[in-house]
Amino acid sequence: MVNLISCRVARRGFRRITDSMLTTTYQGNVKVHLVGSTSFFRTVERITSRSFSNSIHSNEENDLLEETNKVLDICTRDCKDRAHLERSTFDRLMKGWTEVAPIDGAIAVQKSLELLRYLERNLEKQANGNDADPLIPDSISYNMMLHAYASSGGGIEAAQDSLSQLESMITRCREYHKIKRLDQQTLQSLAPTTKTFNIVLNAWAKTKDENAGQKAEKIFRLMESWMQECHELSLPEAIPNSRTLSAVMDAWAESRALNAPERVSAILEVAVARKRLSLEDGCKANNVLVNPNALMFNTCIKAWAVSGKGRYGAQKAENLLHWMMELHESREVASEDESQDEDAGLAPTTISFSLVIKAWAESEGKEKSGLGAERAQKILEEMITRYKAGENVKPNTVTFTTCIKAWAMSWNHESNLQMAQSLFNEMAALYLTTGDEEMKPSVTTGNVLISACTRSKNKEESKKAEEILTSMQEFCKPDLYSFNTVMAAQIRRGDPLEAYMLFQKIENNETIKPDRVSYNTALNALAKMRDASEAHMLLERMQKDKHVQPDKISYSSVIHAWARRKTDERSSRKAADLLKKMLSEYRLGNKEVEPDNFVFTNAIDAAMNASDQNGRRAALRFAISALEEMKRSKDLEDPNYMTYVAVMRVCAKHSSGSAERIRLLEGVFSQCCADGMAGKFAIEVFCRGVPYNVQKKYSVHSPHITVPESWFANVNKRDRPSILK
């Protein structure tokens, strides 16, 4: 039995689990290619040894594993049960693994390969005239195997293995046709089909690799040459269809290569030109003919929408939409058999309009000129008009939200917020009128509008964020981002109490719990209200929260709150204790609480609030030791201009006499000058605390300040002293 090493597979970042090599073997005179997972499983990344049942989340998937292992066990033993195996069982199991592939890609591919290998061994025996079980693979088996690769999230490795499997199928057909030991019907069943090529092309498109477009074109050319070869081998032709060309275009679009949108456009234009030529000549063109359809146009529009080319890309996307509508209405390249082809037709879809709106929204995000938002709005209005006229272009939540976002990003447009709100209201009205869930405003819609309101400099406009937070609850449940954004807006407009009250609602919410942003915003609100006691208690609650821990901002806000409590004798000690705790945690390896010079300065400022004799001496010792800690520790920020000012203020206030005050101030001021931090405020504080003869000693006696420029070299220009030249 195969020893399974389970591995969870995410869409981004595939973890390979074995090293099944690509081999070429010879049985008789037949060269047989066994495609394993050479690159797919080449590198072992963070292997986790655990049973596959631990990584599967449903009884159905456990049953699939159990039945697959049972069938594989029967295949490896020479017993009578093998006679009862049916091809339908293999097909059903492989189909099951293709459905598991998006969740557990490595295991899905591994089990599919094991099932396919048994069928291939029987095929090899039959081809060499040996006795074998009648169960052999066909193109359906291979397609399911390829689909597992394509859906596994294995990136380039999976795509390359799917291509190797396709090439192996072609080689096998050639070899078996040459030796003529298989009947024609069996040989035909082994030939890759159009679907086979399409799956491999889609696998490459999903890689989003910068070379995926070029690779897809090579596969398309392989398909064209194989189609010609099929005619010579009397095999069913794998004829490219619209999905084939769409997959090639999608590979280019997803690659984000610089020339991707131009290349996708060129492919589409060639397809349309060939179709026109075939209709004019009354027959198929010499080259492969693919009927242009909405899927191909949407892929091309998407390429321009995500191209990052701003207004130019958005205009190209809109031009494609108009061209698509013209071709649809004129039926210039319409096919006679559209009714039999589910992919046929050039009627624009919801996706077509939504992609163009997205393109203009992306443009607005870059330029912020208002043009992108206006164009997105016009496209949406046309979409609504066509939908009301009966066309299949119903605007949905994503469409409206994208357009609202375009207006929200248009900071330079006078009516941006009004337009965004108007769209939200129209969207809400459509939903309430029709009851259509696809038009229902989502939490993302509300959040986009809330963000637009909070960025407004107008206080009245910013208050609308709270109204939106309330109104959106009619359609959806606001998430943590909704509350955090409104809280931040309330603080910016000077309503910290409202922000803290909103935080308390989050704390009492059964479904939403505060994160670090929530706590830090609430702590900032309390600091602005100078409610240091409540801020300290909230910090303690945060420390007990299992899901979030304080960081530098959390501590800094509480220290700042204590610093602002000028009449509270506890503030000096509380701020000092918090700074010591930060330093202790930082020394133990918690880099998120590394105190910066702003934190040190606030803690030293709080020392000014000490009132009794013991408290004042402790505050003085703390201020001087904090400064020494900053200068001594290489891993901490150096003291800045305001740090020196804070220390000198503490020395001036809490010294026990004039002699100590002068000595301490001279010592701190000398360090301040040596560090180039002697700004005008530092000189002013120093001069207030020392007699005239000391001021003259340092050439800072007013109005004859003649200090060297090196003393204030590291101070902002606005804070530098005016000196006599």
Side-chain angles (χ1 to χ4, degrees), residues 30-31 38 55 67 70 77 85-86 99-100 209 225 243 267 277 387 394 439 453 611 627 676:
V30 181
K31 184 179 181 181
T38 313
S55 67
E67 186 177 0
K70 182 179 179 181
R77 291 188 288 110
L85 291 176
E86 298 179 354
E99 295 171 357
V100 172
D209 182 71
S225 64
R243 292 193 179 188
I267 294 171
L277 181 61
Y387 171 64
K394 178 173 68 176
M439 294 184 181
C453 291
S611 55
L627 178 63

Side-chain angles (χ1 to χ4, degrees), residues 418-437:
Q418 290 80 2
M419 292 299 297
Q421 288 178 311
S422 175
L423 268 178
F424 181 84
N425 294 337
E426 183 176 0
M427 181 184 185
L430 275 172
Y431 168 67
L432 294 174
T433 302
T434 63
D436 191 333
E437 291 291 321

Side-chain angles (χ1 to χ4, degrees), residues 90-143:
F90 283 80
D91 289 346
R92 177 171 51 80
L93 291 174
M94 292 183 73
K95 186 177 186 302
W97 286 114
T98 63
E99 295 171 357
V100 172
I103 305 169
D104 290 279
I107 296 299
V109 168
Q110 182 178 341
K111 304 314 290 184
S112 297
L113 275 171
E114 290 174 14
L115 291 166
L116 183 62
R117 290 296 167 261
Y118 173 72
L119 300 177
E120 286 189 326
R121 285 194 293 272
N122 293 335
L123 177 64
E124 292 156 13
K125 290 177 182 178
Q126 285 190 26
N128 286 285
N130 300 326
D131 292 337
D133 291 344
L135 305 180
I136 61 174
D138 59 11
S139 60
I140 296 175
S141 312
Y142 285 107
N143 287 350

Side-chain angles (χ1 to χ4, degrees), residues 147-163:
H147 188 69
Y149 275 127
S151 305
S152 66
I156 297 176
E157 293 90 347
Q160 186 57 57
D161 283 334
S162 68
L163 177 56

